[in-house]
Every structure is written in structure tokens, then in C-alpha cells.
């Protein structure tokens, strides 16, 4: 008795899926990855580079502002007479 051609395809697919390791898992994409993928679809490469450069500049400005606040705090602490709390 011969199996119908459609059944042979199904049995081959079942064997292939059972051969996959049971530990194989697929992680959902992160929000960052999803946003970058969307950005890649919507923007030309030059615009992506400009946006990344702008974001890097924002982060650098924030770092400099934090450094200025810390320096001002230290200078005020040194200039104030009395016990040092630093």
C-alpha cells in the first residue's frame, strides 16, 4: 500500500519539526530593536545618521550639565566656612 503524495509531505514536516531541539526559544524583539527597525524603514540612511548624532549630542550635553552641577556643589562646599560635609 502506497501513501498519497500529500501524506508524504505531512509526515516529512512532522519528522522535521520533531527533530528541532526542545530548548529552541524565540525571544520577542526589544522595544529598542523594534523602534530601530521602524526607523530603518521610514528614514533614509542620512537621516538616521543625523538623528543618532543629535541624540549623542543630547547625551553629551546632559553629561556636561551633570559635571557642572557637581563642580558647583563642590566649590560651594569648599567656600563655606565650618565643618566639611563632603
Amino acid at each position: 500500500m502506497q501513501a498519497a503524495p500529500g501524506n508524504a509531505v505531512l509526515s516529512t514536516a512532522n519528522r522535521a519539526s520533531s527533530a528541532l531541539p526542545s530548548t529552541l526559544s524565540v525571544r520577542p524583539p526589544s522595544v529598542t530593536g523594534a523602534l530601530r527597525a521602524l526607523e530603518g524603514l521610514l528614514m533614509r540612511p542620512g537621516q538616521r545618521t543625523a538623528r543618532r548624532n543629535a541624540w549623542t549630542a543630547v547625551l553629551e550635553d546632559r553629561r556636561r550639565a551633570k559635571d557642572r552641577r557637581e563642580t558647583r556643589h563642590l566649590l560651594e562646599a569648599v567656600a563655606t566656612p565650618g565643618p566639611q560635609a563632603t
Side-chain angles (χ1 to χ4, degrees):
M1 178 177 215
Q2 252 184 335
N7 292 341
V9 171
L10 289 176
S11 63
T12 304
N14 287 340
R15 274 186 269 138
S17 66
S18 65
L20 291 175
S22 61
T23 58
L24 182 66
S25 64
V26 177
R27 292 188 316 179
S30 67
V31 173
T32 304
L35 288 175
R36 287 200 182 202
L38 184 63
E39 178 185 48
L41 290 173
L42 297 177
M43 298 178 127
R44 293 189 302 250
Q47 289 174 325
R48 267 186 285 162
T49 301
R51 183 176 293 249
R52 286 194 186 125
N53 288 345
W55 182 245
T56 301
V58 166
L59 294 177
E60 185 64 21
D61 287 345
R62 288 178 181 174
R63 187 192 61 77
R64 282 194 214 109
K66 180 182 172 192
D67 289 346
R68 281 193 304 272
R69 283 191 304 271
E70 290 173 355
T71 302
R72 187 180 66 227
H73 174 72
L74 288 173
L75 289 173
E76 288 172 355
V78 169
T80 312
Q84 306 246 336
T86 32

